[in-house]
Amino acid sequence: MELIAIITTALVALLHLYIMYIEMFLWDKPKGMKVFGLKPDFAKASKVLAANQGLYNGFLAAGLLWGLWLGAAGSQVTVFFLLCVVVAGVYGAITSSKKILFVQGLPGLIALIAVLLAA
């Protein structure tokens, strides 16, 4: 179970690095607008806000990678950041798009369960 916990947590961290990249660097580019279903005017007007949001996704990824780097001693760090991911996924689903629950919240929850079962 420990290996599954490590793999799922690493995948969630990589997902958040990818989200960070899109939000910070591709938000107003065709790929970013396609991923988030944006119109060019809105993407341009909200670019700075998206970059800020992307930075926070980068912090989530950094926290998860830190917890993994600490090994068994980092399980509480990992649990904290996975909880943050799940809460962000639920909040995003409520306020923005139900898709966020499945793209962000569900992988975070799966990793969280794996980490808790491995402890």
Side-chain angles (χ1 to χ4, degrees):
M1 186 52 80
E2 186 177 340
L3 181 59
I4 293 171
I6 291 168
I7 290 170
T8 56
T9 300
L11 289 173
V12 172
L14 290 174
L15 172 64
H16 280 79
L17 287 173
Y18 179 66
I19 294 169
M20 177 197 78
Y21 175 71
I22 293 172
E23 290 175 340
M24 292 187 80
F25 304 108
L26 301 180
W27 185 257
D28 61 346
K29 308 290 187 282
K31 170 86 174 172
M33 289 188 292
K34 181 179 178 186
V35 167
F36 291 103
L38 306 174
K39 299 205 181 315
D41 288 345
F42 178 80
K44 184 178 179 184
S46 60
K47 183 177 180 175
V48 173
L49 292 172
N52 189 357
Q53 185 172 293
L55 186 62
Y56 285 100
N57 276 295
F59 289 146
L60 289 173
L64 292 171
L65 294 172
W66 176 39
L68 288 175
W69 180 73
L70 291 171
S75 65
Q76 291 179 340
V77 171
T78 304
V79 166
F80 171 78
F81 281 97
L82 286 170
L83 283 169
C84 290
V85 167
V86 172
V87 169
V90 170
Y91 184 78
I94 292 168
T95 61
S96 181
S97 168
K98 302 267 187 271
K99 179 180 168 185
I100 295 171
L101 185 61
F102 300 102
V103 172
Q104 183 178 10
L106 185 59
L109 181 61
I110 291 168
L112 177 61
I113 291 168
V115 168
L116 292 172
L117 290 175

